[in-house]
Amino acid sequence: QLQASGGGLVQAGGSLRLSCAASGLLPSYSVGWFRQAPGKEREFVAAVRGGTSMKYYLPSLKGRFTIRRDNANTLYLQMNSLKPEDTAVYYCTARAAWAIDYYNPGQYNRWGQGTQVTVSS
């Protein structure tokens, strides 16, 4: 199970840190964050490849967002310089094996309930 938290309402330029508390994951599991804005498809944000320190980001977010994995079951997403277009429900996810198309939400079978992030202009 995964449970995301830390969302909220923030002004543009502000920061938020999302947390994901999981259970039953192994260090070899890959974990990540996706987001979904109203009327849009779920979009890849960032991921950590299981068993490694390799991190992957949506290119347009790199430099503003940072993913961190403290242990097998704790994941964070630090979001800085937030923009109104970052408004979405953010989900944490996990997968037992690394997928080449890690940015495809269909590759993940474990999802948290999501946490709402709203950035006002």
Side-chain angles (χ1 to χ4, degrees), residues 14-116:
S15 299
L16 281 175
R17 188 180 78 161
L18 306 184
S19 301
C20 179
S23 61
L25 302 185
L26 300 176
S28 59
Y29 280 44
S30 297
V31 292
W33 292 94
F34 282 73
R35 67 185 183 182
Q36 189 164 18
K40 295 188 177 181
E41 295 185 349
R42 194 163 293 190
E43 176 185 50
F44 171 76
V45 173
V48 179
R49 183 169 181 172
T52 77
S53 59
M54 297 180 67
K55 301 176 182 180
Y56 302 79
Y57 294 92
L58 181 68
S60 61
L61 299 179
K62 196 171 184 179
R64 295 196 297 122
F65 288 20
T66 303
I67 190 171
R68 189 180 92 231
R69 187 179 191 180
D70 276 3
N71 55 53
N73 289 289
T74 305
L75 183 68
Y76 300 99
L77 183 69
Q78 178 67 42
M79 306 185 295
N80 298 327
S81 302
L82 283 163
K83 304 175 181 179
E85 52 263 42
D86 295 319
T87 295
V89 177
Y90 284 71
Y91 299 90
C92 55
T93 185
R95 193 178 191 275
W98 183 247
I100 292 176
D101 55 340
Y102 55 87
Y103 45 84
N104 179 358
Q107 289 292 351
Y108 297 84
N109 55 4
R110 298 170 186 240
W111 293 92
Q113 86 289 358
T115 186
Q116 176 71 48

